Each structure stands twice: as structure tokens, then as C-alpha cells.
Amino acid sequence: MKFTLPIALCLGTAILAAGSAHASSSAWFETDGGRFRLVTTGQPDASGKLQGVLDIELKPGWKTYWRDPGNSGVPPQIDLSASRNVSAAEISYPAPQRHDDGYAKWAGYDFPVRLPVGFAVPAPGEPAAIVADVFLGICETICVPVQARLEVDPAADPGNANDAALVAAALGALPSAAEPDFGATLAPAEGETMSITAAAPGDPEGIDIFVAGVDGYQFGTPQRHEAAGKISFLLKVLERPTAKPAGKGIPYTLISSAGAVEGFLPYP
């Protein structure tokens, strides 16, 4: 999948538009490959967390990216700098698919997808306004960078049952937390190659892993190996920081015919 951001911007294929607030969700933003909007539960909890969803409807044949799109794409991004009393947006991801379009191998979705978004509201009792500049790559034969401004007034309709149900369903579709019998472990690194052992129920042929490059790391596509009944994946470390970060580790999603789980691997 070719992704040529500077050319696309010059041609005007990246579009900036405003979607005005409608109840506890934004207006839909329409683009060539589909449309998207923001939906929220309408009010933050006592800790100041407001749960929402980036609701992406794709037309047949179109795709969008997972959190790590490889070296040729761009992950979903949300900029809240124009918002009021909303300071952060943390995106969560359902299990992706692996795509090979002849140009690159990458992880993403070729079906309508809802990405849960947790918004931080520093002062829960004060008015808040979400003004989100959303940036997505939406792809058919080439990828089109799409930018849109979506606006939500969480207090406009805090009891909207349909929006709350949509958010709850998106959260319920996320991978479960990894466990010893369904998860991944990292073996000691050998040079610039890391080996991950996977344990998962279900048909071994359906086991695959997606590893996200974060905190200065970038990885190659996992290469699957099966020996003596054990499944492992080898990945090349393409880039690494000069010192190990202090974060949670490397996020991964492991899938099998039994479902999907997610967790963190130690920094290699």
C-alpha cells in the first residue's frame, strides 16, 4: 500500500473540515473511502475519564491502519490542543488483520471498526468541549491521508442510551488481558533479532501476533515458526532508542481461533 503524504497534501486529498457537535457524538465526516465520527458516553466519571469511540465506517475494498502500520503508513491520531478541559486521548485497538499489498506488509482493518478512546477531563465538574483534529490513513489501491476536526459537547446529551451502548460494545470487542495459557513471552535477544514464544488455545494454524513499535523501537514483520508443538515468532529490531525507556514495555496483540489477548513484552 503506497502512502505518499506530501503528494496527497499537494493534491488536496487530505481534507480539513469541521463536524459540529450533535448530542454526545460529533457529526459524521464523509470521505472517499467511508466516513467517521466521535461518539462519547456524554459525561466523565468521578475520576475525570470520559469514554468514547472513534467510529470508522469503511466502504467495501477500503482499509485503515492499526496502532503500528509498518513503515509505509500512519496510525490513527487525535490532537486535542483546541479542546477545553480535555487534556488527553488514549486510543485502544481491537485485533487487526495482516495485509500484504505488494508494496508493504502492515496491520489494519478492512471492515468498519470502532476504536475506543479514553479522554481525560482534568476538572470533571466543569464544562468540557472536545475539539478533536483526527488524522487517518484510509486506503484502497493507495492510501489517502484524511484530516478532520470533530467536535463534541459531552454535556449536550449525557443520557443518550444509544451512544452509551455503542461505546460499551466497542469496549467489549477489545482483546482480553493476556494470561499464562494465552499470551506471549520474550526470549533473550540474539543480536538484532527477538524471539517471541506464543501460548494460545485453539487451532495452532490460527495463531498470529502483532507487535507495536513504541518508545523509539521499530520492528520487522513477525516470522512464524512451529517446532515440537510450540509456536514462536522471530522479529528484526529495525530501530531502538539509545537507552531502554521507563514505560510499560512493547505492546502486542496475540490472536487465535479462540479470540485475542493483549499485553506487554519487556523492552529488548
Side-chain angles (χ1 to χ4, degrees):
M1 191 70 63
K2 290 184 176 179
F3 192 96
T4 51
L5 178 57
I7 295 175
L9 285 171
C10 291
L11 293 177
T13 51
I15 305 167
L16 179 63
S20 59
H22 176 69
S24 45
S25 64
S26 75
W28 286 100
F29 177 78
E30 307 277 346
T31 187
D32 287 343
R35 61 181 187 167
F36 56 93
R37 61 175 178 161
L38 274 177
V39 179
T40 75
T41 54
Q43 55 187 356
D45 61 21
S47 69
K49 184 173 183 178
L50 171 63
Q51 192 62 58
V53 165
L54 180 57
D55 188 8
I56 305 171
E57 290 190 355
L58 296 170
K59 295 178 181 177
W62 289 76
K63 310 170 186 70
T64 193
Y65 290 109
W66 184 57
R67 64 188 302 163
D68 185 336
N71 58 10
S72 62
V74 60
Q77 300 172 42
I78 300 178
D79 180 353
L80 295 176
S81 57
S83 299
R84 180 171 56 135
N85 193 23
V86 182
S87 60
E90 181 178 357
I91 305 176
S92 300
Y93 296 86
Q97 304 164 315
R98 198 170 302 285
H99 297 274
D100 184 350
D101 52 42
Y103 300 104
K105 296 178 180 179
W106 53 279
Y109 312 93
D110 63 2
F111 51 85
V113 63
R114 291 166 176 166
L115 307 180
V117 185
F119 296 97
V121 180
E126 300 295 326
I130 298 174
V131 181
D133 291 312
V134 178
F135 187 57
L136 296 175
I138 297 182
C139 321
E140 193 180 33
T141 54
I142 64 171
C143 275
V144 178
V146 181
Q147 185 173 353
R149 173 164 284 189
L150 305 179
E151 301 182 13
V152 176
D153 177 2
D157 189 8
N160 190 303
N162 290 333
D163 287 352
L166 186 147
V167 172
L171 289 168
L174 291 176
S176 303
E179 299 179 353
D181 61 348
F182 195 175
T185 55
L186 181 64
E190 297 183 5
E192 291 304 305
T193 299
M194 47 189 283
S195 177
I196 299 170
T197 300
D203 184 358
E205 292 300 319
I207 297 174
D208 199 0
I209 195 167
F210 299 86
V211 180
V214 296
D215 299 333
Y217 286 92
Q218 184 177 340
F219 305 103
T221 302
Q223 303 299 313
R224 188 178 188 276
H225 296 270
E226 184 173 357
K230 293 185 177 181
I231 307 295
S232 63
F233 296 88
L234 297 180
L235 292 80
K236 289 186 177 180
V237 181
L238 303 178
E239 295 183 12
R240 64 168 67 240
T242 55
K244 287 189 179 182
K248 294 181 179 179
I250 301 298
Y252 73 87
T253 297
L254 180 66
I255 65 172
S256 81
S257 59
V261 296
E262 60 185 5
F264 292 90
L265 297 167
Y267 294 112

